[in-house]
Amino acid sequence: MIKRLGAVALALLAAIGPLVPGAQAARKLRVVTTIPDLKSLTEAVGDNLVEVDSLTRGTQNFHEAEVRPSMMLKLRRADAVVENGLDLDAWADVAIEGSNNPNIIRGGRGRIEISRGVEVLEVPTARVDRSMGDVHPRGNPHFSLDPGLAGVITQNIVDGLARIAPESRAAFEQNRKAFLTQLEQHMTRWTKVMEPVRGAKVVVYHPDFIYFLTRFGLVQLGTIEDRPGIPPSPQHLVNLIRQMKEEKVKMVLVEPWNDVKLANRIAEEAGAKAFVMATAVGAVKGADNYIAAIDYNITTLAKALQ
Ligand SMILES: [Zn+2]
């Protein structure tokens, strides 16, 4: 009896067998990204060949994302993970380990790090580690919203996706090219909009705009935090406000997850104004995708600094 059932099952398998390869080819790659900027860029590259989910939302402080069971569930089914690197999403290691998915462990085929080829800014000259509270021990990890780096980032995504789906490389390349052409058109406009305010000095709460500011010729006079991730001491704030007055700083950039009230108070005392920025895709209303987020920041800066 058992033997006969086995034979029936085999016959069934043989019958549906030829259908399977076709079904597999049509299945979208399941990609999980650690932050929403990378979700937007992976969607630009993968288009209808991928299904992308992010482990965090744009309104969060990525340095302090909490590993949840829901993250592990998303990761369990993933073909690939796209991560920022430089310790911004170090917590992803814990979630990935918990997901028990060999595709995406460090060194696995489906592990895609997008910082390869990025010239890292603010690399500490003295040794720092997280026990000192500094959350940028390997340099500043907030490069994803510098549109000038989108080319490098998307190339890393293409290479990573093509590793697990080599048959789609040409499509990924083509999507990337189309996206970069579109971005280039915006870039021309953004550069023009920022031209009149070049050289302006601004203050940032947490240093997450250094790549962006450098790209458009703006200067970060200081940060409200003492050091990355370390709350300000009263003395630091006194010095900062004095400097802001001397340099006639008009603008403080603040993250939606940070102490916006404190940013407002400091700005007011120094004769400036604080603005909540799109520190990531989805951080503020209207910044729903990569280009929209950058556009939001350009518009806000140009208006505040004019
Ligand atoms: Zn940071």
Side-chain angles (χ1 to χ4, degrees):
M1 186 63 184
I2 289 166
K3 224 174 177 180
R4 272 198 62 191
L5 270 178
V8 170
L10 273 177
L12 270 171
L13 269 177
I16 59 170
L19 292 173
V20 172
Q24 265 176 352
R27 184 173 80 74
K28 293 182 179 194
L29 285 179
R30 283 190 288 255
V31 185
V32 173
T33 68
T34 55
I35 64 171
D37 303 3
L38 304 185
K39 174 176 190 276
S40 189
L41 291 174
T42 303
E43 282 168 346
V45 164
D47 196 29
N48 58 359
L49 299 170
V50 295
E51 192 182 283
V52 193
D53 207 344
S54 172
L55 295 178
T56 54
R57 278 165 302 144
T59 47
Q60 274 178 271
N61 175 1
F62 303 136
H63 287 298
E64 288 178 1
E66 204 182 310
V67 174
R68 294 164 187 279
S70 61
M71 284 187 180
M72 296 178 195
L73 277 178
K74 285 179 186 176
L75 290 163
R76 189 155 297 164
R77 299 169 65 242
D79 298 302
V81 166
V82 181
E83 65 181 336
N84 187 84
L86 293 175
D87 280 18
L88 181 69
D89 40 14
W91 42 263
D93 277 324
V94 180
I96 288 166
E97 235 165 80
S99 77
N100 244 336
N101 179 348
N103 296 332
I104 54 173
I105 52 167
R106 197 161 290 289
R109 268 182 354 129
R111 190 74 174 254
I112 305 170
E113 188 171 331
I114 51 101
S115 66
R116 194 187 49 182
V118 171
E119 197 187 318
V120 181
L121 301 179
E122 296 180 342
V123 178
T125 45
R127 211 185 91 82
V128 285
D129 60 52
R130 289 189 71 116
S131 70
M132 296 156 78
D134 195 314
V135 294
H136 295 175
R138 296 202 287 140
N140 194 306
H142 303 283
F143 56 85
S144 64
L145 276 187
D146 171 3
L149 291 175
V152 177
I153 296 171
T154 51
Q155 186 61 60
N156 287 334
I157 296 173
V158 166
D159 292 344
L161 293 179
R163 222 166 32 225
I164 48 174
E167 70 283 4
S168 300
R169 179 177 270 279
F172 297 144
E173 296 277 13
Q174 204 177 353
N175 293 340
R176 172 178 178 265
K177 220 171 137 195
F179 171 73
L180 291 180
T181 303
Q182 195 193 351
L183 188 70
E184 200 47 55
Q185 286 162 4
H186 288 281
M187 196 66 172
T188 308
R189 184 170 54 82
W190 291 330
T191 309
K192 217 165 141 192
V193 170
M194 294 303 278
E195 197 50 48
V197 300
R198 266 187 100 83
K201 291 175 177 151
V202 298
V203 162
V204 184
Y205 201 120
H206 176 79
D208 38 19
F209 274 97
I210 193 65
Y211 293 88
F212 184 94
L213 296 173
T214 307
R215 178 73 53 194
F216 292 101
L218 298 172
V219 178
Q220 178 180 296
L221 179 78
T223 58
I224 292 181
E225 288 178 343
D226 249 318
R227 286 216 311 277
I230 299 172
S233 64
Q235 190 53 49
H236 173 71
L237 291 184
V238 169
N239 291 341
L240 182 68
I241 291 166
R242 182 179 41 76
Q243 251 185 311
M244 286 171 72
K245 283 179 179 163
E246 278 170 13
E247 303 277 353
K248 299 189 171 49
V249 167
K250 285 183 178 172
M251 183 183 188
V252 173
L253 289 72
V254 60
E255 302 76 21
W257 46 265
N258 225 328
D259 190 344
V260 178
K261 267 190 193 158
L262 178 63
N264 278 328
R265 263 176 37 217
I266 292 164
E268 206 177 309
E269 263 196 66
K273 248 184 127 178
F275 293 84
V276 175
M277 302 297 287
T279 41
V281 170
V284 296
K285 217 174 147 216
D288 312 325
N289 60 54
Y290 189 77
I291 288 175
I294 297 163
D295 200 58
Y296 182 93
N297 290 332
I298 293 281
T299 308
T300 308
L301 276 157
K303 228 196 247 170
L305 293 171
Q306 70 185 359

